[in-house]
């Protein structure tokens, strides 16, 4: 219960890191496996261990049993929280958070009770740190539960910051600060500084009050209060710094445990200062939240991970005991490659924090992971070395005929810290060189992203003449955000060699920069950057974002050559485009062609409603929608690269009753930002409909309060392109007391503006409103080739939705007459009223829906169409095959 759970959580963390792109909410998962799993378990174990030692109050058998129960509650609660968040089962998350809070409160009460009955101790203040820390985590757990619920929008950043500040400053920070007062000099094997106890007592109220102020300021939306609290917390750590520095000067750190803790403290202070600056300069909570999110991983990886591994490397051998020999054997194993591991991890992490190309960041992340994950095999080897040394001691005692417990002679084993300074320096240099090599490999593979360019005289024109020589080189920084480049105009004297440093400062959208000359930045995720070598500018050059629709939204950049007389050979004018023309983009369409025997039509039948709950409460529908790019056939022989929900267009169909709750987890596994908007729910769009970057996820929760056939779609701009390229679907909420029908079908009409074969939507056609195909359920004429079935005198209900994004619809069944029509929540005609009237078509505007009902009078084939006839000829038709 002491050591194995930490190893379990760390192993899961390593595995999650290796496959994080395949996991939902990978960033959240990795941080919580570390902080909530490994670190929190270690805090419960070792704060109890130190309290017993400082208070000179050894635990009794009952106390050990109680501690085991607390650890079971903590680890069980952590498992439930992780399972609940990943499966979007909020009750499971809530139950797990409750178990975690209960275990920590029980822990704090136990420490408080023991401290009251214990004799005064010089360093008893450390126990007060642990008690104060235990008061923070339950509050942080409540805030985390609120965040997991997902029913917040404008206050999301505030609650998130409050959650992180209370847990990191309070639960983790106070525990680490209180422990290092005595553990740091003990690890260095030197005496504690004279002023350490006094400084510790003075710092505790400052740290506790400041952590509370920072968390409360964030929670209540008071930026100055949150910044002031963080400033006070840094000042509180400053009160303890002198004793920490003094013992390090007396006995410099050399072992893995001391070097790792030293590195952790450095990242701790550095990240807190950076966070404080973020809060001080942020203009709003959204800006603060974005900057805070960028720093938090370094606080976890640099501070929390290193202090955990450093402390355990020292404490595990000591707690195992068995005499000096076994303890030294285990410690020596933990110290293998100490300087190499610490130097590699910290240099790699520092490289990741710098504005380096994404490939360099990936390679350095791998180095960091290898350096830190080496702790796990070393832990196994240390435990084995301890057992072997302990067995050897027992054998020596028995061979000498000495009484049990007598120390046996031993051979001194030099730990890493006792090795020559030159050897330690060599390991440090090796670690740094490994990081430098990773950077060099990353730059060699992608030199443009690192801003490395060839000399100005770098190519020849098409007629074999030399390219112009640059008179000077100019570097311009350009930001990509909100469908704009800032600046959107770059003016340089003709003959200037231009380098463009492109930074994607958008929070969720992927962007790039493509020049008409062919230079390309490559796609950049939010926060990434690249350098584009624009070459020697002798005439005006056009540039744009090549992400579909972004150029049409105005994401263009003009490079103007001042003093140029005319465009020269080898350079492009402002009006040149390397994109394929609309006329040449598509292969010939043959809408009458058979799709092939292997073709399966999109299922048009409406799935039955789930049975009502036995307790009479509304149902809860849970689903996961993954935004993925897929090559999909949209008519015989014509394929398009669609953006889809779960690989199909339309996406999954949802079916429910009024009052039902829908919890949909959106995972972005595409190459650009995506979002989702459910018309079936009424709620503020700020948070649930926000665009998320590739690899991120969000929970969209709504309650169906009104009946209808509702559209859902990606609402990321340009919205028309995202809808036209496949990101849409249907939600059917049945009216109360809707009569049963013998057959129910769902038909969603949409348009395709075809690009080249296997390419994405043609945005020029889209802007001109010139669709190539108008279809039902994502494929032209599919129900002509695979008719929908019915029988004579069966009541057939057809739910209809016009997806658009541009064309209206007028649904008609040739040879049929509707006796019931229902449009946007109202009956226009109801056969139950005994009316003699009928309807020949149901007209729908874009994003409108309803249903029609009819009975077929005799067997035969009944075509159905959009009676906007040009659209029927573009593929909006099908057949009901009616049997006797």
């Amino acid at each position: 219960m002491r050591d194995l759970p930490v190893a379990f959580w760390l192993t899961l963390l390593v595995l999650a890191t290796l496959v994080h792109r395949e996991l939902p909410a990978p960033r959240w998962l990795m941080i919580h496996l570390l902080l909530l799993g490994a670190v929190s378990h270690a805090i419960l174990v070792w704060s109890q261990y130190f309290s017993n030692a400082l208070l000179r109050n050894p635990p009794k058998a009952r106390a050990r049993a109680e501690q085991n129960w607390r650890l079971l509650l903590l680890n069980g609660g952590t498992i439930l929280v992780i399972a609940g968040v990943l499966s979007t089962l909020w009750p499971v998350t809530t139950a797990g958070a409750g178990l975690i809070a209960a275990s920590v409160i029980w822990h704090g009460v136990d420490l408080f009770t023991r401290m009251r009955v214990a004799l005064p101790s010089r360093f008893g203040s450390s126990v007060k740190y642990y008690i104060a820390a235990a008061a923070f985590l339950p509050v942080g757990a409540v805030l985390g539960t609120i965040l997991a619920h997902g029913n917040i929008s404008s206050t999301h950043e505030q609650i998130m910051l409050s959650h992180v500040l209370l847990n990191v400053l309070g639960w983790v920070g106070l525990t680490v600060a209180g422990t290092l007062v005595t553990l740091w000099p003990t690890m260095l094997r030197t005496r504690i500084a004279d002023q350490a106890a006094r400084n510790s007592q003075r710092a505790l109220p400052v740290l506790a009050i400041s952590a509370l102020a920072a968390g409360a300021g964030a929670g209540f939306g008071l930026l100055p209060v949150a910044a002031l609290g963080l400033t006070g917390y840094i000042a509180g750590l400053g009160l303890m710094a002198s004793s920490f520095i003094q013992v390090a000067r007396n006995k410099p750190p050399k072992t893995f445990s001391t070097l790792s803790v030293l590195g952790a403290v450095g990242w701790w202070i550095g990240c807190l200062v950076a966070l404080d600056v973020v809060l001080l300069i942020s203009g709003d909570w959204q800006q603060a939240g974005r900057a805070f999110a960028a720093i938090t991983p370094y606080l976890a990886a640099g501070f929390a991970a290193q202090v955990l591994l450093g402390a355990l490397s020292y404490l595990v051998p000591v707690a195992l005991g068995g005499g000096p020999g076994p303890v030294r054997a285990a410690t020596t194993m933990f110290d293998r490659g100490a300087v190499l591991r610490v130097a590699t991890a910290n240099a790699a992490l520092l490289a990741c924090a710098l504005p380096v190309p994404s490939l360099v960041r990936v390679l350095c992340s791998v180095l960091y992971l290898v350096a830190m994950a080496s702790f796990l095999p070393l832990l196994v080897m240390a435990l084995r070395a301890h057992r072997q040394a302990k067995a050897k001691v027992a054998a020596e005692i028995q061979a000498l005929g000495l009484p049990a417990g007598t120390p046996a002679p031993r051979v001194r084993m030099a730990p890493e810290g006792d090795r020559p300074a030159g050897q330690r320096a060599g390991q440090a240099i090796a670690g740094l060189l490994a990081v430098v090599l990773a950077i060099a490999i990353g730059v060699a593979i992608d030199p443009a992203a690192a801003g490395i360019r060839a000399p100005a005289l770098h190519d020849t024109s098409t007629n074999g003449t030399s390219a112009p020589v640059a008179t000077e080189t100019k570097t311009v920084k350009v930001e990509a955000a909100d469908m704009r480049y800032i600046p959107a105009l770059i003016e340089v004297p003709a003959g200037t060699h231009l380098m463009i440093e492109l930074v994607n400062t958008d929070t969720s959208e992927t962007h790039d920069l493509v020049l008409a000359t062919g230079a390309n930045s490559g796609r950049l995720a939010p926060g990434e950057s690249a350098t584009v070598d624009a070459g020697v500018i002798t005439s005006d050059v056009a540039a744009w974002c090549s992400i579909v629709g972004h150029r049409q939204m105005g994401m263009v950049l003009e490079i103007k050559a001042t003093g140029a007389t005319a465009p020269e050979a080898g350079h492009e004018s402002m009006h040149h485009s390397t994109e394929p023309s609309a006329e040449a983009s598509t292969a010939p369409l043959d809408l009458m062609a058979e799709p092939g025997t292997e073709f399966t039509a999109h299922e048009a039948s409406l799935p039955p409603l789930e049975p009502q709950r036995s307790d009479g409460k509304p149902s809860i529908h849970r689903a996961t929608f993954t935004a993925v790019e897929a090559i999909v056939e949209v008519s015989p022989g014509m394929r398009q690269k669609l953006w889809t929900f779960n690989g199909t267009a339309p996406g999954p169909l949802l079916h429910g009753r009024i009052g039902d709750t829908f919890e949909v987890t959106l995972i972005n596994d595409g190459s650009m930002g995506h979002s989702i908007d459910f018309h079936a729910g009424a709620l503020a769009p700020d948070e649930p409909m926000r665009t998320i970057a590739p690899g991120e996820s969000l929970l969209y929760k709504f309650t169906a309060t009104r009946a209808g056939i509702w559209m859902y779609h990606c609402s990321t701009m340009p919205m028309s392109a995202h809808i036209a390229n496949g990101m849409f679907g249907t939600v059917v909420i049945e009216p109360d007391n809707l009569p049963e029908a013998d057959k129910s079908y769902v038909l969603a009409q949409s348009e395709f503006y075809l690009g080249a074969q296997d390419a994405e939507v043609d945005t020029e056609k889209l802007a001109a409103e010139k669709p190539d195909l108008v279809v039902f359920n994502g494929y032209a004429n599919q129900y002509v080739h695979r008719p929908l079935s019915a029988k004579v005198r069966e009541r057939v209900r057809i739910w209809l939705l016009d997806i658009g994004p541009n064309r209206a619809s007028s649904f008609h069944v040739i040879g049929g007459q509707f006796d019931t029509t229902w449009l946007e929540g109202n009956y226009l005609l109801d056969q139950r009223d005994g009316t003699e009237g009928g309807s020949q078509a149901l007209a729908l505007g874009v994003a409108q829906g309803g249903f029609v009902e009819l009975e077929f009078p005799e067997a035969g084939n009944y075509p159905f169409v959009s009676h906007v006839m040009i659209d029927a000829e573009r593929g909006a038709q099908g057949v009901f095959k009616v049997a006797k």
Side-chain angles (χ1 to χ4, degrees), residues 19-355:
V19 299
H20 69 277
R21 291 191 176 275
E22 310 300 324
L23 300 173
R27 175 191 173 99
W28 179 93
L29 179 61
M30 289 186 288
I31 289 177
H32 284 75
L33 285 173
L34 173 63
L35 295 179
L36 187 57
V39 172
S40 293
H41 177 91
I43 288 176
L44 242 63
V45 169
W46 297 105
S47 59
Q48 184 79 56
Y49 178 88
F50 280 108
S51 296
N52 293 336
L54 294 171
L55 298 176
R56 299 181 179 86
N57 189 1
K60 298 179 181 178
R62 179 180 176 183
R64 293 184 184 276
E66 290 178 351
Q67 184 187 26
N68 285 341
W69 277 110
R70 289 195 291 270
L71 294 174
L72 285 172
L73 286 176
L74 175 72
N75 286 278
T78 302
I79 292 172
L80 289 179
V81 165
I82 292 174
V85 170
L86 298 186
S87 63
T88 69
L89 297 175
W90 190 69
V92 176
T93 305
T94 304
L99 293 179
I100 292 169
S103 68
V104 173
I105 292 172
W106 186 3
H107 171 72
V109 170
D110 180 70
L111 294 182
F112 179 76
T113 303
R114 288 175 176 274
M115 189 180 69
R116 288 190 62 185
V117 299
L119 296 174
S121 171
R122 180 187 175 193
F123 292 102
S125 61
S126 290
V127 183
K128 296 178 181 179
Y129 276 81
Y130 303 148
I131 296 171
F136 280 86
L137 185 61
V139 182
V142 171
L143 295 178
T145 306
I146 294 172
L147 289 167
H149 190 274
N151 195 23
I152 54 175
S153 55
S154 58
T155 59
H156 180 271
E157 283 78 12
Q158 296 168 217
I159 296 176
M160 175 66 77
L161 287 173
S162 181
H163 168 71
V164 174
L165 288 170
L166 290 174
N167 287 335
V168 173
L169 302 185
W171 172 237
V172 179
L174 289 179
T175 301
V176 171
T179 301
L180 289 182
V181 173
T182 55
L183 181 61
W184 177 243
T186 303
M187 294 168 68
L188 290 171
R189 295 182 176 87
T190 187
R191 63 188 302 271
I192 300 174
D194 296 334
Q195 73 276 22
R198 182 179 67 254
N199 291 347
S200 173
Q201 293 171 358
R202 291 176 177 176
L204 176 57
V206 176
L207 292 171
I209 294 172
S210 297
L212 182 61
F220 289 104
L222 304 173
L223 261 175
V225 175
L228 181 63
L230 196 51
T231 302
Y233 193 90
I234 296 170
L237 293 178
L239 293 176
M240 307 176 70
S242 61
S243 54
F244 188 90
I245 295 171
Q246 179 180 326
V247 294
R249 292 177 63 183
N250 293 339
K251 188 74 175 295
K254 299 177 182 178
T255 63
F256 174 80
S257 60
T258 54
L259 290 170
S260 185
V261 168
L262 180 63
V265 172
W267 282 100
W268 191 15
I269 302 300
C271 288
L272 291 182
V273 171
L275 292 175
D276 199 17
V277 172
V278 163
L279 294 181
L280 288 171
I281 66 175
S282 295
D284 55 60
W285 284 106
Q286 285 71 31
Q287 181 182 356
R290 291 192 295 268
F292 197 91
I295 297 172
T296 301
Y298 298 97
L299 192 59
F303 164 52
Q306 287 203 101
V307 79
L308 174 67
L309 300 191
L312 290 180
S313 296
Y314 176 81
L315 291 172
V316 169
V318 172
L320 288 174
V327 170
R328 197 174 190 85
T331 301
T332 301
M333 195 61 65
F334 276 120
D335 271 343
R336 282 193 172 182
V339 179
L340 174 64
R341 291 153 56 202
V342 174
T344 302
N346 284 275
L349 197 59
L350 180 61
C352 290
L354 298 174

Side-chain angles (χ1 to χ4, degrees), residues 328-649:
R328 197 174 190 85
T331 301
T332 301
M333 195 61 65
F334 276 120
D335 271 343
R336 282 193 172 182
V339 179
L340 174 64
R341 291 153 56 202
V342 174
T344 302
N346 284 275
L349 197 59
L350 180 61
C352 290
L354 298 174
V356 295
S358 58
L359 181 57
V360 172
R361 186 172 286 112
V362 169
L363 294 175
C364 289
S365 298
V366 172
L367 282 179
Y368 169 86
L369 180 63
V370 171
M372 298 297 283
S374 62
F375 171 83
L376 291 171
L378 289 175
L379 172 62
V380 175
M381 295 166 66
L383 295 175
R384 182 184 301 137
H386 181 272
R387 286 196 302 269
Q388 292 173 349
K390 195 172 181 180
K392 183 178 180 180
V393 168
E396 290 177 350
I397 291 174
Q398 185 177 8
L400 295 172
L402 298 174
T406 302
R410 56 186 172 86
V411 178
R412 186 178 186 276
M413 301 168 64
E416 189 75 22
D418 291 343
R419 293 185 180 177
Q423 188 174 347
R424 296 195 301 271
Q427 289 191 15
I429 293 172
L432 295 175
L433 287 177
V435 175
V436 171
L437 181 60
I439 295 173
I441 292 173
V443 170
I445 295 175
D446 189 9
I452 296 177
R453 57 182 176 83
L457 190 59
H458 61 286
D459 64 354
T460 60
S461 63
T462 54
N463 60 8
T465 61
S466 297
V469 179
T471 57
E472 64 172 322
T473 298
K474 182 176 182 179
T475 300
V476 177
K477 182 176 181 179
V478 175
E479 292 186 9
D482 300 325
M483 297 298 168
R484 292 293 184 272
Y485 292 114
I486 306 171
L489 172 64
I490 300 175
E491 291 186 321
V492 294
T496 300
H497 192 125
L498 178 63
M499 305 293 293
I500 300 174
E501 292 183 356
L502 179 67
V503 181
N504 184 2
T505 58
D506 231 325
T507 58
S508 55
E509 289 280 9
T510 298
H511 295 298
D512 65 8
L513 180 67
V514 175
L515 275 62
T517 56
N520 192 334
S521 67
R523 293 193 172 183
L524 303 177
E528 291 187 339
S529 61
T531 300
V532 181
D533 186 346
V536 179
I537 305 300
T538 58
S539 62
D540 297 348
V541 179
W544 59 87
C545 181
S546 70
I547 306 294
V548 173
H550 288 200
R551 186 181 187 182
Q552 286 67 28
M553 290 287 293
M555 201 163 186
V556 295
L557 173 68
E558 178 182 355
I559 303 172
K560 190 173 182 60
T562 59
T565 55
E568 298 182 16
H571 287 71
E572 310 290 343
S573 73
M574 283 299 303
H575 304 289
H576 178 82
S577 172
T578 59
E579 296 179 343
S581 66
E583 293 76 15
S585 62
T586 60
L589 290 173
D590 183 0
L591 296 181
M592 301 306 295
E594 288 285 340
T597 56
E598 73 284 354
F599 173 74
T600 301
H602 185 91
E603 181 58 60
S605 298
L606 179 66
L609 284 168
E610 294 181 0
Q612 288 187 303
R613 292 171 47 159
S614 58
D615 57 8
K617 294 182 179 180
S619 298
I620 299 176
H621 306 263
R622 296 184 175 89
T624 298
F625 287 7
T626 303
V628 293
E629 298 167 0
I631 302 296
V632 177
E633 188 174 74
V634 296
S635 73
M638 172 51 65
R639 301 181 306 275
Q640 290 287 277
K641 183 179 182 181
L642 301 185
W643 312 325
T644 70
F645 295 112
N646 289 6
T648 63

Side-chain angles (χ1 to χ4, degrees), residues 769-792:
E769 299 187 32
K770 295 181 178 179
D772 297 284
L773 299 173
V774 180
V775 303
F776 290 122
N777 292 348
Y779 193 97
N781 295 338
Q782 63 178 317
Y783 303 117
V784 173
H785 307 292
R786 303 290 186 270
L788 303 178
S789 64
K791 291 183 178 180
V792 174

Side-chain angles (χ1 to χ4, degrees), residues 734-754:
E734 293 198 3
D736 292 336
N737 303 316
L738 182 68
E740 290 287 336
D742 296 302
K743 291 282 181 64
S744 290
Y745 292 109
V746 179
L747 298 175
Q749 178 182 309
S750 64
E751 305 128 38
F752 284 113
Y753 301 81
L754 300 177

